[in-house]
């Protein structure tokens, strides 16, 4: 039977959680629990009900036994752990995704590092091979600059890569895999140009091929390629 606290919380607060993210289960629960904290929701049955309401049909089917016959206590933690376990990548799956990472595209090195770190299984530390995979996504000239010294952490390494990446004018092919290109072609460069204060970094870097934009930016599709 629901306690008086459960009934009080259900009547006193109202939140709407986003639909559950199967590929990012742990991150989804971090955000859900932040909302529970903000709203002062602590009752087991209330949290369990909110999570249950956020599940799509396929996800709910995978935990149907818990939904239809929940435990008498710890309903929320039981459901949470089952969902995380169901969608957690195996170490081999995680390793495969990291090894098959698709290069920088139009991301900065630090953005790529964040994506790679998010794949690392909980409790595991990225090792020297992880660092090497990350480095191989970078243009050759950036690699040569940042490998000349040691950095305390991977994030410090990525910050240094960002700095050199933005200053060298290296062109990144969004479709290349593993940061590789034909060695006979040598490092790829954009033509040297004066920075345009009216354009964001992405449109200065990639012109019409940019898939991101940050304010302030006056980029327009009507601009000619020559102007960019």
């Amino acid at each position: 039977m629901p306690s008086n606290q459960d009934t009080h919380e259900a009547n006193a607060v109202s939140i709407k959680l986003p639909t559950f993210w199967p590929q990012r289960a742990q991150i989804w629960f971090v955000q859900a629990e932040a909302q529970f904290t903000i709203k002062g929701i602590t009752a087991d049955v209330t949290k369990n009900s909110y999570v249950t309401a956020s599940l799509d049909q396929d996800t709910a089917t995978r935990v149907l036994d818990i939904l239809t016959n929940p435990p008498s206590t710890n309903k929320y933690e039981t459901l949470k752990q089952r969902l995380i376990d169901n969608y957690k990548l195996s170490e081999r799956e995680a390793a495969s995704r990291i090894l098959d990472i698709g290069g920088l595209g139009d991301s900065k090195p630090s953005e790529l590092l964040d994506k790679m770190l998010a794949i690392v299984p909980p409790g595991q530390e990225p090792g020297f091979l992880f660092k090497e995979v990350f480095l191989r996504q970078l243009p050759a000239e950036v690699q040569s600059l940042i490998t000349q010294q040691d950095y305390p952490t991977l994030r410090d390494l990525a910050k240094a890569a960002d700095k050199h990446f933005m200053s060298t004018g290296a062109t990144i092919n969004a479709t290349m895999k593993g940061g590789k290109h034909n060695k006979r072609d040598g490092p790829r460069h954009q033509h040297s140009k004066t920075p345009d204060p009216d354009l964001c970094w992405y449109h200065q870097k990639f012109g019409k091929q940019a898939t991101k934009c940050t304010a302030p930016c006056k980029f327009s599709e009507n601009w000619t390629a020559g102007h960019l």
Side-chain angles (χ1 to χ4, degrees):
M1 293 291 291
S3 67
N4 290 335
Q5 181 187 14
D6 295 335
T7 303
H8 174 73
E9 285 190 357
N11 292 333
V13 300
S14 177
I15 62 174
K16 182 174 177 57
L17 299 178
T19 302
F20 181 72
W21 307 335
Q23 305 306 316
R24 291 290 185 269
Q26 286 190 310
I27 297 175
W28 187 90
F29 274 105
V30 168
Q31 295 203 342
E33 289 174 357
Q35 291 203 48
F36 293 154
T37 299
I38 292 170
K39 294 295 186 178
I41 297 173
T42 59
D44 178 53
V45 68
T46 307
K47 293 192 289 185
N48 184 71
S49 296
Y50 274 120
V51 173
T52 300
S54 74
L55 305 180
D56 60 31
Q57 180 178 337
D58 290 340
T59 305
T61 300
R62 293 195 62 180
V63 293
L64 185 60
D65 59 321
I66 295 179
L67 299 182
T68 57
N69 187 27
S72 57
T73 59
N74 295 323
K75 295 178 175 63
Y76 168 73
E77 287 297 334
T78 301
L79 179 58
K80 171 186 174 181
Q81 197 56 52
R82 172 71 76 81
L83 287 168
I84 289 176
D85 289 344
N86 279 357
Y87 294 102
K88 180 172 62 178
L89 293 176
S90 68
E91 290 188 4
R92 186 174 183 184
E93 289 171 330
S96 178
R97 290 195 183 186
I98 291 172
L99 289 171
D100 293 339
I101 204 75
L104 277 175
D106 62 355
S107 298
K108 293 189 292 185
S110 58
E111 293 174 324
L112 177 66
L113 178 65
D114 289 338
K115 294 176 185 176
M116 292 176 63
L117 288 173
I119 302 172
V120 176
Q124 298 288 340
E125 292 293 333
F128 73 97
L129 287 177
F130 179 98
K131 177 181 177 181
E132 182 62 25
V133 173
F134 169 69
L135 287 171
R136 291 191 180 197
Q137 312 309 307
L138 309 181
E141 60 268 36
V142 176
Q143 291 185 42
S144 65
L145 288 168
I146 65 174
T147 54
Q148 293 177 13
Q149 66 181 91
D150 293 327
Y151 296 90
T153 68
L154 281 171
R155 295 197 184 279
D156 290 326
L157 176 68
K159 287 180 182 178
D162 280 351
K163 178 180 178 181
H164 293 303
F165 177 71
M166 296 172 70
S167 64
T168 58
T171 301
I172 306 303
N173 183 344
T175 61
M176 70 182 177
K177 299 296 184 180
K180 298 178 181 178
H181 62 270
N182 190 330
K183 293 182 180 179
R184 292 175 297 177
D185 295 339
R188 300 179 181 182
H189 295 273
Q190 286 180 328
H191 295 297
S192 176
K193 59 178 181 290
T194 303
D196 190 330
D198 291 330
L199 297 180
C200 70
W201 178 83
Y202 292 104
H203 279 112
Q204 288 193 62
K205 196 76 170 177
F206 303 103
K208 293 182 179 181
Q209 281 68 50
T211 60
K212 297 181 181 180
C213 182
T214 55
C217 181
K218 297 182 180 180
F219 176 80
S220 167
E221 285 296 334
N222 293 327
W223 288 40
T224 65
H227 187 88
L228 292 177

